[in-house]
Amino acid sequence: QVQLVESGGGLGQAGGSLRLSCVVSGRTFGNYAMGWFRQAPGKEREFVAAINWSGGSASYADSVKGRFTISRDNAKKTMYLQMNSLKPEDTAAYYCAARYGLRSYFPREYNYWGQGTQVTVSS
């Protein structure tokens, strides 16, 4: 019943910026943490960033720390990933995810997923 839909992906320039959005629809029944994951061809899905329900605490993968910012607006039921200083290695399909409880690094601990949005960064 809960659905997540990503948007904002596309082609970015190295050193440039993109902002991804993830809108939550359907019925939710409690506080849920959310996260962003990405998967490049031939690679495992990897953690990018996660945020708690209140938006006051966030975690980042070392590869994106200092460049990406995760945020959420619960009134709009939307999570964001501001991606600055893009690098070609950021190229991947980006997925938003949600879980009841605490934020997590592990994809297997999330039970709601979007279908992904492709981010391609050119040099």
Side-chain angles (χ1 to χ4, degrees), residues 19-87:
R19 189 174 79 157
L20 307 183
S21 298
C22 174
V23 177
V24 178
S25 62
R27 297 283 297 275
T28 56
F29 299 94
N31 298 348
Y32 50 93
M34 300 188 72
W36 289 97
F37 295 81
R38 66 187 184 187
Q39 188 167 21
K43 293 184 170 62
E44 296 289 308
R45 187 167 298 186
E46 66 176 355
F47 169 79
V48 176
I51 190 167
N52 67 356
W53 164 256
S54 70
S57 183
S59 300
Y60 298 92
D62 287 343
S63 59
V64 307
K65 193 172 296 183
R67 300 188 297 119
F68 291 7
T69 302
I70 188 172
S71 62
R72 67 191 294 171
D73 184 339
N74 288 342
K76 297 179 179 179
K77 301 185 75 172
T78 303
M79 176 180 65
Y80 306 95
L81 185 68
Q82 180 66 46
M83 309 167 64
N84 297 328
S85 301
L86 287 167
K87 302 177 179 180

Side-chain angles (χ1 to χ4, degrees), residues 1-4 27 29 96-100 110-114:
Q1 193 171 12
V2 175
Q3 293 199 325
L4 282 62
R27 297 283 297 275
F29 299 94
C96 65
R99 68 183 301 270
Y100 290 109
Y110 289 81
N111 53 349
Y112 298 105
W113 290 87

Side-chain angles (χ1 to χ4, degrees), residues 13-16 38 63 67-68 84-91 94 119-123:
Q13 301 264 23
R38 66 187 184 187
S63 59
R67 300 188 297 119
F68 291 7
N84 297 328
S85 301
L86 287 167
K87 302 177 179 180
E89 50 263 46
D90 295 321
T91 296
Y94 283 71
V119 171
T120 302
V121 182
S122 64
S123 59

